[in-house]
Amino acid sequence: MCGIFGISGHADAAALTHLGLYSLQHRGQESAGIVAVKDGAVNVLRAMGLVSDKFTAESMRSLSGPVAVGHTRYSTAGSSTIENAQPALVRFRGGHIALAHNGNLTNATEVRRSLEDQGSIFSSTMDSEVIVHRLARAHAERPEEKLAEALQGIEGAYSLLVIIGDTLVAARDPLGWRPLVMGRLNGAYVFASESCALDIVGATIEREVAPGEILAVGPDGTVRQIQMTAAPEPRRCVFEYVYFARPDSRVFGGSVDRARRALGRRLAAEHPAPGADFVFSVPDSSNSAALGFSEASGLPLELALIRNHYVGRTFIQPTQQGRDEKVKVKYNAVREILAGKSVVMVDDSIVRGTTTRGLVALVRAAGAREVHMRVSSPPITGPCYYGIDTPDREQLIAANHSVEEIARRIGVDTLGYISLEGMLDAVPDGPSGFCHACFSGQYPTRPPTVPEKLRLG
Ligand code: AMP
């Protein structure tokens, strides 16, 4: 998954992009980058690691001009290397193109092969690079028309921010998998994966970029629009509401906080835990769901697990070894709260079950008498091909075990997952118009022909 941010028409475009990326850090922690354009000259800064560590006042000085795009990345397609850090930047006979992409293209392998047959030389293993090559070859005149031309035949999930010359172009795939919101900051146009990035720069939300829509902001502030064929019904990723986005954000036009609380309330209705003493969350991503569970069940909410904020998202580590090491240092249990109690532990999802098993052991070691786990998303039974880094089927605990077996393996007394219908009813603007393939197996497109390429690059 990735976070993207772009701005046009502001003298401090790069500095604001830097700020915006801080708010999108949760969407990817492997690498970050910013490209800024001034008077036809383009400058780029890319680094492995966190925005706060890698961009200094000194390095930011090289980036100036009224147009900028930025990106935070964790790899779902292509390996975790600096060559794959975005924004991708190419200079070619027609000028320059800088591209930031959130999502996964499902036919990138075929498109790449055909471009290579025609002589293209790729400099990364990212799926996104095929769009850059297509753009460089496009014949259309205007930047937005070039992008529409380049995207023909490209399948899968993409929210894109592209600088072509001095024009900022935003686009969302026809099924609208990934979010992209447009805002205004005085005269400037701002685009971001989530509205929390608009908040941090002081911009106001104008509207969502619609599925299948391309918007181009010219250097004079004019906005041009192209509507590519939109699908009859979108397939927005429901996991953005469940886990991925920040609770202070609005995505797909709805509040993430409201969504998670409603999920928690529904979960409490579907799987109550009558004899329990209290409920607690696995911080931070399930805080709002645990609040919802507490509201609906009447059980008090306790802060029984404390998270070390200097450790990032455990899952967003490309290797299992990295994940294991981080889990150990990420959480601590509060003995004074847990000792002797029957407790409800709410989490938003169980993927491999590794973190969960470790957490349950921690909670028991702190003295909990009974542990009842409640999960605010249904069992994950299949991989995501559209941008969330869910692993292959073999590693997904719910793809291979029943709920009873999972309960035994993670060491809880009872385990309850929200139902698919319950989840889709609870999220804003549900129940239709969402992609829930990882839970239901209903993939909206044919899966990629070479799926392992998506993750290994
Ligand atoms: P595990 O028990 O190893 O399956 O890990 C479950 C934890 O991973 C939960 O706390 C989730 O909040 C978190 N999680 C779920 N999906 C993702 C994801 N795509 N990226 C990062 N963390 C995730």
Side-chain angles (χ1 to χ4, degrees):
M1 183 54 72
C2 303
I4 57 176
F5 185 94
I7 180 163
S8 171
H10 199 290
D12 291 325
L16 291 169
T17 302
H18 183 209
L19 212 53
L21 291 186
Y22 271 92
S23 292
L24 299 174
Q25 187 74 84
H26 61 290
R27 297 183 69 90
Q29 304 168 340
E30 285 177 34
S31 67
I34 301 174
V35 167
V37 174
K38 185 182 188 183
D39 304 328
V42 56
N43 284 297
V44 60
L45 208 59
R46 277 186 298 243
M48 300 303 290
L50 300 180
V51 178
S52 57
D53 293 344
K54 301 293 175 172
F55 294 79
T56 59
E58 179 74 20
S59 63
M60 285 297 297
R61 232 168 272 140
S62 64
L63 298 175
S64 61
V67 189
V69 292
H71 189 266
T72 55
R73 171 168 204 263
Y74 95 85
S75 47
T76 50
S79 42
S80 180
T81 58
I82 190 70
E83 291 75 37
N84 286 345
Q86 290 195 19
L89 173 65
V90 295
R91 296 177 178 85
F92 70 117
R93 63 186 156 71
H96 55 251
I97 295 165
L99 176 138
H101 172 206
N102 173 206
N104 254 15
L105 309 179
T106 49
N107 65 343
T109 310
E110 290 94 318
V111 178
R112 180 174 173 137
R113 220 169 268 150
S114 112
L115 285 163
E116 281 174 337
D117 285 346
Q118 295 163 48
S120 286
I121 299 168
F122 280 74
S123 59
S124 78
T125 56
M126 282 183 299
D127 60 342
S128 325
E129 198 181 341
V130 300
I131 303 176
V132 179
H133 283 265
R134 283 284 199 81
L135 268 171
R137 289 161 179 246
H139 296 293
E141 274 300 308
R142 293 182 148 171
E144 66 278 17
E145 293 166 349
K146 276 187 193 299
L147 187 57
E149 186 181 330
L151 290 172
Q152 272 172 32
I154 300 278
E155 293 170 11
Y158 52 83
S159 281
L160 295 171
L161 291 173
V162 194
I163 301 176
I164 304 173
D166 49 12
T167 299
L168 175 63
V169 193
R172 223 172 134 206
D173 69 72
L175 288 168
W177 258 290
R178 299 286 146 225
L180 189 59
V181 64
M182 174 167 81
R184 298 299 304 270
L185 176 58
N186 306 321
Y189 284 89
V190 189
F191 296 89
S193 299
E194 296 181 29
S195 67
C196 65
L198 301 186
D199 293 339
I200 198 174
V201 300
T204 49
I205 298 182
E206 183 108 334
R207 67 176 177 88
E208 290 281 296
V209 177
E213 185 178 36
I214 300 180
L215 289 169
V217 186
D220 56 355
T222 52
V223 180
R224 293 185 299 269
Q225 190 241 29
I226 293 180
Q227 184 65 48
M228 301 183 280
T229 352
E233 206 182 30
R235 283 288 175 260
R236 299 160 292 176
C237 169
V238 71
F239 210 61
E240 292 273 352
Y241 278 135
V242 166
Y243 165 80
F244 218 83
R246 259 171 51 162
D248 53 332
S249 282
R250 296 181 72 81
V251 293
F252 307 133
S255 152
V256 178
D257 171 76
R258 296 292 117 178
R260 290 193 188 155
R261 279 179 195 239
L263 288 165
R265 285 196 296 270
R266 177 72 180 234
L267 179 61
E270 290 187 5
H271 297 284
D277 293 306
F278 62 82
V279 52
F280 68 94
S281 74
V282 177
D284 291 318
S285 51
S286 51
N287 289 350
S288 318
L291 263 171
F293 194 101
S294 164
E295 276 166 32
S297 64
L299 293 176
L301 182 77
E302 290 284 358
L303 304 178
L305 275 181
I306 301 302
R307 184 187 143 187
N308 184 331
H309 279 267
Y310 303 96
V311 188
R313 286 188 158 186
T314 51
F315 202 89
I316 308 187
Q317 282 291 316
T319 65
Q320 184 66 37
Q321 194 191 348
R323 275 190 294 271
D324 287 347
E325 283 162 9
K326 284 209 165 181
V327 171
K328 283 187 212 146
V329 288
K330 189 169 169 184
Y331 300 100
N332 216 343
V334 186
R335 178 169 290 277
E336 287 68 19
I337 298 177
L338 289 159
K341 302 293 188 197
S342 168
V343 300
V344 179
M345 172 165 125
V346 172
D347 205 350
D348 50 76
S349 52
I350 301 179
V351 185
R352 295 174 175 83
T354 336
T355 315
T356 311
R357 194 169 46 238
L359 285 171
V360 174
L362 208 66
V363 166
R364 289 212 188 268
R369 191 178 82 246
E370 286 175 15
V371 182
H372 303 280
M373 174 140 192
R374 300 292 180 264
V375 188
S376 61
S377 64
I380 300 178
T381 50
C384 174
Y385 302 123
Y386 313 111
I388 301 272
D389 186 24
T390 36
D392 298 327
R393 213 162 254 116
E394 307 82 72
Q395 295 178 53
L396 289 168
I397 194 165
N400 303 295
H401 299 282
S402 67
V403 174
E404 293 69 36
E405 283 167 359
I406 299 171
R408 238 187 343 269
R409 284 178 168 253
I410 61 178
V412 293
D413 296 278
T414 67
L415 172 62
Y417 285 92
I418 197 170
S419 63
L420 183 65
E421 308 73 59
M423 174 183 70
L424 294 173
D425 279 345
V427 292
D429 198 22
S432 59
F434 285 95
C435 176
H436 39 75
C438 58
F439 305 114
S440 63
Q442 294 166 24
Y443 289 90
T445 60
R446 65 193 172 108
T449 39
V450 200
E452 71 275 16
K453 277 268 158 63
L454 275 175
R455 272 182 291 275
L456 300 177

